[in-house]
Amino acid sequence: MGGLALSFGAPLVLAGLLALPVIWWLLKLTPPRPQTETFPPLRILQRVLKSEETPSKSPWWLTLLRLLLAALIILALAAPTLNPREGLLSGSGPLALLVDNGWASGGDWDARREAAEELIQRAGDQGRPIALAFTAEAAEDDATPAEANTALERLAAAEPRPIPTDRVAAADRLVTALAGESPGSLVFLADGLDSEGTEAAARSLAALAPGEAIVYAPNVDGLVGLTGADNSTEALVVQAVRPEGGTLAASLALRALDSQSREVGRAPLEFAEGAATAEARFAIPVELRNDIARIEVEGASQAGAVRLVDDSFRRRRVGLVSGESADVAQPLLSPLYYISRALEPFADIVRAESADLGEAIPALVERRPSMIVLADIGVMPERAQVALQGFVEGGGYLVRFAGPRLAATTGDDPLVPVRLRAGERQLGGAMSWSEPQTIAPMAAETPFAGIEVPADVTVARQLLAEPSADLPERTWASLSDGTPLVTAANVGAGSIVLFHVTAEATWSNLPISGAFVDMLRRIVTLSRASGGTTDGRTAADSLPPYRVLDGQGRLVGPGAEVQPLEPVAEGAQPVTRQNPPGLYGNEEGYMALNLLPAGAELRRLPGLDLGAPVEARGYGGESALNLAPWLFAAALVLFALDALALLWLNGAFSRIGGTLSRRRATALPAVAVLAAAGLLLAAVPPAHAQEAPGTPAPPETAVLLDVERAILATESTHFAYVETGLPAVDDVARAGLAGLSQYVAAKTALEPGEPMAVDIATDELAFFPLIYWPVDPAAPMPEEAAISRIDAYMKQGGTVLFDVADETLAGLSGTEVSAGQRRLRDILADLDIPPLEPVPADHVLTKAFYILEDFPGRHTGSDLWVESLVQDADGTARPARGGDGVSSIMITSNDFASAWAVDEQGLFLFPTDSADPAQREFAYRAGVNIVMYVLTGNYKADQVHVPALLERLGQ
């Protein structure tokens, strides 16, 4: 299905191909005229002595050329057509068109749309109305018969939906729109999958008694859906399904992406031969798994191949509350010691900040943990009890451990999963006939299924539960005698879990075993990352749409038709047009609604009874193409080559090229045949197969880089300056950077190249570590796009040195500014710059190469402004920053370029404000420090350099 098709308008003409052997025989017996040779006399005398010879056959290449010419003419006369559209529709009357645009159509939607366009155009050519209905549209979708142009407009506006199809409703709309009129043609453009209601829809359509019935169905062997993702303790396990009946093994790749669409992990998905389900395992650390936001089949373009994950996959926050106070003095005896050690590798631990439970527990609930653990707490203040009740009902997990305090409580406790007996049960000891009990194997239907408990783990004391009818259902783990060890119950949207032993090793050695860690990890996995609430909502409240999947499996903003999600208490959450798959909630916390539930099956579309013999077709992505003109053109080319070959054999070209050797002349016919084959291949248009869904189109244009400039800029370090458009300013900048480059080469190990001018609107800026920008108010204001390129350059690690054409730049926030400062403000207004400050005394710039106190140029009245380093609370420490601490921006008005500028003889071009030559020397030193700072970063801030710096300072 979906391949190329070829038909012939006059197939009987193809019988002429049988005449090709006869033509070959005639060409062999009637050779062309023998070749004649002109003077030389000796050769003529030599041939006189020989008997007269007649060629017995024509050259093989000429025979082949003529046979090919005859075959092309016969094929052209047979009127071949590639992907013919003839016979798409027959009969008369309305065209009833039912189009699947559910989730399974996302990968081949373009092919389905092209097939529908061809059918509508053909019906329009025949003057037939078209009744068009889509199976994933709302009930208001109008299927009233209309002319072809209207149907094409509706088709162009349609798109695949990330929801299941509703074929019954679509068929009913068609039946209603036709109002009892039998369609001349009934066409079903299916997605290849069976769905609920397909047979009922077929019965409704069959009642129309169509003149003909056509069903288009694609090959669904490559269709894959993700039905589940289990973030277990060892790995992230993803379940996948494909249509049943697949006989070939398939190997796909799954990608795990974070919220920024960055790949976190990759895992193979292997379908065994004949298997409809498969699993993939992401064996990546828990920390990386917590960042996963979606899992998708690589290369797929439909919503079923995407699995969204929500807060339940994120790292949990667990609050710990203990009933004892001596936790620090004797940590091994603390009830929270083993719990915290077990949870710390995969959860954030939050401890109660107050011993007053009435204050500590409500404060803990306000921090929105996923789970709260109470270690041996019996009686709680009413305020704490109310807070915990609301926490659990809102979706949180409350885990309690037994102990003397809980055993001593009397009366009903609403925060335990089962009714408890007063006092604890003691197993073993001098006053007991019983022995410590071992733990029974974990039942398969409990969350602890698969956890193996060592045989040496025993329980010496426990709290007993009162027998009840629902006690077995609430028991997650039990002792070998059948008494409960762990019980649980659902309360609202959350759960309460009770360990009937203490959290330390006084009642049982379970807390010091590996099984204890696995049990707590399972409970944390079941809990929600945000405690089950967002802005005070519970799981039973509606959740607003945050992000939804489109028909291609991409996360987009919700449309106007998407409604808030009403979570269901039991069963799978239905996916509808009003609630498509996506994320519901807000940025702080959301719930993931996925398309395919656990255990979903994909069934192939069965044969349908549509009230007329059904013609099965596949989707073809090519338009009909008449090949006859192309074949005639190729035959004309071969005829021209045949004529040229005859002229050559008859000696017409003997005078031209008479100097050719006989070997080269013999090779010419073979070259002619090869040229004819090349022309033939060029004349016939290539028949491209249908492109795979999601294949990106090649770019229409390509950006050409100036290779020579790129090589020049990267073969050595160059300083750059911005071309302002003012020749005088640009010349000073170039001369200044040239003088600085010479000084840097003389004083350091760096040997910079000649300075280069850059046009910030067009040139590549990434080649240069430092760009000098002389800001002059007379220069044209750069365009917004150019400023954006400078902003990107600075964010990628580059540094821009702004030198304002003013004598002073005492501050950047004054009300009275000069023309140069005003231009600088206009430039900075479009830049995302950080807070600025004058270079502090302890900044790396003051010691990058030379020890400096200020940074003079031709003038000395301006500070050098750099990015502000935020201090700690004590005002002393300066934290390390990204980009190795290099400021992306520097601003001054000391006119560095004029102080550095030299001519070709090395003479200074401009005097400094001071007659003291030290000013120019310090201007060069300032330039060297700026260069070293930009190239090496803030490594001079390390304390290892302090002794050397103090020694140089004489301290």
Side-chain angles (χ1 to χ4, degrees):
M1 295 183 180
L4 300 177
L6 182 66
S7 69
F8 294 90
L12 294 179
V13 179
L14 295 177
L17 294 175
L18 300 176
L20 290 179
V22 178
I23 296 174
W24 173 82
W25 181 73
L26 292 175
L27 292 174
K28 180 179 179 181
L29 294 182
T30 57
R33 179 180 175 183
Q35 178 180 350
T36 60
E37 295 185 8
T38 57
F39 195 76
L42 293 178
R43 195 167 186 83
I44 294 176
L45 293 176
Q46 183 180 5
R47 291 195 174 186
V48 170
L49 300 177
K50 293 184 178 181
S51 59
E52 185 178 356
E53 295 180 357
T54 301
S56 62
K57 61 181 180 179
S58 62
W60 66 269
W61 51 268
L62 186 58
T63 302
L64 179 61
L65 186 66
R66 291 176 174 175
L67 288 175
L68 184 59
L69 174 61
L72 288 178
I73 293 175
I74 295 172
L75 290 174
L77 293 175
T81 303
L82 187 64
N83 291 320
R85 290 185 292 184
E86 298 293 338
L88 282 177
L89 296 173
S90 62
S92 60
L95 167 63
L97 199 58
L98 184 66
V99 181
D100 272 344
N101 65 326
W103 68 268
S105 63
D108 60 351
W109 177 248
D110 291 338
R112 191 161 310 161
R113 176 180 289 172
E114 290 177 4
E117 287 178 352
E118 287 183 305
L119 292 168
I120 294 173
Q121 289 172 356
R122 180 51 56 92
D125 294 341
Q126 299 173 357
R128 302 167 62 181
I130 298 98
L132 178 61
F134 297 94
T135 59
E137 296 299 330
E140 295 78 12
D141 183 39
D142 187 10
T144 303
E147 60 181 10
N149 291 336
T150 303
L152 289 175
E153 291 176 359
R154 290 189 56 209
L155 179 64
E159 59 184 9
R161 302 287 184 181
I163 59 176
T165 58
D166 188 353
R167 292 168 177 165
V168 174
D172 291 342
R173 292 197 298 271
L174 273 180
V175 173
T176 303
L178 292 173
E181 183 180 3
S182 296
S185 301
L186 173 62
V187 182
F188 179 24
L189 299 175
D191 57 18
L193 293 181
D194 190 13
S195 64
E196 184 179 357
T198 299
E199 293 184 359
R203 288 193 297 268
S204 298
L205 296 175
L208 294 174
E212 64 171 346
I214 304 173
V215 175
Y216 285 76
N219 188 344
V220 295
D221 288 340
L223 189 65
V224 176
L226 302 183
T227 58
D230 180 18
N231 196 3
S232 64
T233 55
E234 294 80 15
L236 172 60
V237 182
V238 181
Q239 293 81 30
V241 64
R242 67 174 179 177
E244 82 286 355
T247 58
L248 299 178
S251 178
L252 303 171
L254 293 188
R255 300 170 64 223
L257 309 176
D258 64 7
S259 58
Q260 302 297 325
S261 297
R262 295 171 297 194
E263 185 173 304
V264 176
R266 181 182 291 263
L269 179 63
E270 305 285 346
F271 281 94
E273 183 177 351
T277 59
E279 286 187 350
R281 297 175 63 86
F282 289 88
I284 56 180
V286 175
E287 291 76 13
L288 291 179
R289 276 185 268 154
N290 288 333
D291 294 334
I292 295 175
R294 58 182 282 164
I295 305 163
E296 63 180 23
V297 179
E298 186 175 26
S301 300
Q302 41 90 6
V306 177
R307 194 76 185 177
L308 300 174
V309 297
D310 51 22
D311 295 351
S312 61
F313 276 75
R314 294 181 179 177
R315 188 176 179 88
R316 306 299 194 272
R317 178 179 295 174
V318 179
L320 302 183
V321 182
S322 172
E324 297 185 6
S325 57
D327 293 348
V328 178
Q330 296 178 332
L332 294 180
L333 301 180
S334 167
L336 301 181
Y337 176 78
Y338 299 103
I339 298 175
S340 60
R341 292 293 298 271
L343 295 177
E344 280 176 350
F346 54 91
D348 296 329
I349 303 300
V350 181
R351 297 180 182 270
E353 298 179 354
S354 174
D356 185 355
L357 297 181
E359 297 179 359
I361 291 180
L364 206 60
V365 172
E366 289 180 358
R367 302 184 68 174
R368 298 173 61 189
S370 303
M371 185 171 75
I372 294 179
V373 179
L374 304 181
D376 189 20
I377 293 180
V379 178
M380 287 181 287
E382 182 179 358
R383 182 182 175 188
Q385 190 172 357
V386 171
L388 286 176
Q389 188 79 23
F391 167 75
V392 175
E393 292 178 353
Y397 264 63
L398 176 62
V399 179
R400 303 189 66 175
F401 284 86
R405 292 177 177 81
L406 185 59
T409 58
T410 58
D412 295 334
D413 188 344
L415 295 178
V416 292
V418 294
R419 185 179 177 85
L420 299 175
R421 290 183 178 180
E424 73 267 17
R425 174 195 184 195
Q426 184 171 356
L427 302 170
M431 303 299 295
S432 175
W433 294 97
S434 61
E435 296 291 335
Q437 292 287 316
T438 58
I439 299 177
M442 302 298 177
E445 62 274 8
T446 66
F448 294 156
I451 296 179
E452 296 183 1
V453 182
D456 57 351
V457 174
T458 58
V459 175
R461 291 184 180 183
Q462 71 175 136
L463 281 183
L464 288 176
E466 292 285 356
S468 62
D470 58 354
L471 181 60
E473 298 177 358
R474 298 188 177 190
T475 301
W476 284 9
S478 59
L479 302 183
S480 56
D481 62 358
T483 56
L485 174 64
V486 180
T487 55
N490 296 328
V491 178
S495 298
I496 298 177
V497 181
L498 173 64
F499 282 76
H500 291 244
V501 294
T502 58
E504 26 76 29
T506 55
W507 286 23
S508 171
N509 59 353
L510 174 65
I512 60 176
S513 68
F516 184 71
V517 178
D518 293 337
M519 294 166 75
L520 287 180
R521 183 173 296 184
R522 291 285 180 90
I523 298 175
V524 172
T525 303
L526 294 174
S527 66
R528 298 181 180 179
S530 59
T533 64
T534 49
D535 299 335
R537 281 191 304 269
T538 66
D541 295 329
S542 62
L543 300 174
Y546 175 52
R547 295 286 188 272
V548 296
L549 290 177
D550 65 3
Q552 304 292 333
R554 299 167 297 195
L555 273 176
V556 297
E561 72 278 2
V562 182
Q563 302 298 319
L565 180 68
E566 302 287 346
V568 297
E570 297 180 357
Q573 185 77 36
V575 175
T576 63
R577 182 177 174 83
Q578 290 73 31
N579 293 131
L583 304 176
Y584 291 82
N586 54 38
E587 189 176 0
E588 298 298 327
Y590 46 77
M591 172 183 173
L593 175 61
N594 287 290
L595 177 67
L596 300 178
E601 297 180 354
L602 301 182
R603 301 184 301 274
R604 298 175 185 268
L605 184 69
L608 301 177
D609 181 10
L610 298 179
V614 176
E615 178 185 354
R617 295 181 182 176
Y619 293 107
E622 303 295 328
S623 300
L625 178 64
N626 185 10
L627 297 180
W630 300 97
L631 295 177
F632 277 122
L636 183 61
V637 172
L638 295 185
F639 181 79
L641 290 176
D642 181 83
L644 292 176
L646 286 178
L647 292 176
W648 179 77
L649 290 176
N650 290 331
F653 303 127
S654 59
R655 293 183 181 180
I656 302 174
T659 58
L660 293 176
S661 64
R662 183 170 299 274
R663 179 174 297 177
R664 293 181 60 187
T666 305
L668 282 177
V671 174
V673 172
L674 293 177
L679 291 173
L680 179 61
L681 292 177
V684 179
H688 300 285
Q690 180 180 347
E691 294 185 357
T695 302
E700 298 180 357
T701 59
V703 179
L704 300 179
L705 299 177
D706 188 345
V707 179
E708 295 183 359
R709 178 180 174 84
I711 295 175
L712 177 63
T714 55
E715 63 183 0
S716 62
T717 302
H718 293 265
F719 307 138
Y721 64 92
V722 175
E723 287 183 320
T724 63
L726 302 177
V729 176
D730 294 343
D731 291 343
V732 173
R734 182 190 55 78
L737 292 181
L740 178 62
S741 299
Q742 295 175 12
Y743 191 89
V744 169
K747 299 296 183 180
T748 70
L750 176 65
E751 297 182 0
E754 290 295 323
M756 299 180 65
V758 294
D759 183 350
I760 60 174
T762 57
D763 291 338
E764 177 59 55
L765 306 179
F767 300 141
F768 310 104
L770 175 66
I771 295 179
Y772 179 79
W773 189 334
V775 179
D776 195 293
M781 179 66 187
E783 296 181 356
E784 183 178 353
I787 298 295
S788 298
R789 299 183 80 245
I790 281 289
D791 188 64
Y793 165 78
M794 295 166 61
K795 283 182 170 60
Q796 293 168 357
T799 299
V800 180
L801 173 57
F802 292 94
D803 203 338
V804 185
D806 286 324
E807 293 186 359
T808 59
L809 186 64
L812 294 177
S813 59
T815 57
E816 297 182 1
V817 295
S818 63
Q821 295 180 21
R822 187 175 298 107
R823 174 52 57 86
L824 176 64
R825 288 187 176 184
D826 293 340
I827 295 174
L828 298 184
D830 295 329
L831 289 176
D832 183 19
I833 62 173
L836 304 178
E837 65 176 351
V839 174
D842 59 344
H843 198 279
V844 177
L845 266 172
T846 63
K847 51 194 174 185
F849 194 83
Y850 293 103
I851 304 298
L852 297 177
E853 294 182 357
D854 55 5
F855 298 85
R858 185 182 180 188
H859 312 302
T860 59
S862 172
D863 294 323
L864 180 62
W865 293 73
V866 295
E867 290 186 23
S868 176
L869 294 176
V870 181
Q871 297 181 345
D872 288 345
D874 57 5
T876 58
R878 292 180 176 271
R881 299 185 298 114
D884 205 16
V886 177
S887 175
S888 61
I889 183 173
M890 301 181 190
I891 302 176
T892 186
S893 65
N894 283 338
D895 195 3
F896 283 142
S898 296
W900 301 334
V902 295
D903 58 13
E904 296 180 356
Q905 289 75 31
L907 302 178
F908 300 122
L909 294 179
F910 302 96
T912 59
D913 291 345
S914 173
D916 188 356
Q919 179 175 338
R920 194 181 303 274
E921 175 66 21
F922 279 107
Y924 275 117
R925 292 187 178 186
V928 172
N929 273 29
I930 291 174
V931 170
M932 293 296 107
Y933 169 69
V934 169
L935 295 178
T936 62
N938 65 352
Y939 82 101
K940 278 294 181 68
D942 297 340
Q943 293 298 314
V944 69
H945 298 282
V946 171
L949 294 175
L950 293 177
E951 182 181 355
R952 291 187 61 186
L953 292 173
Q955 299 180 5

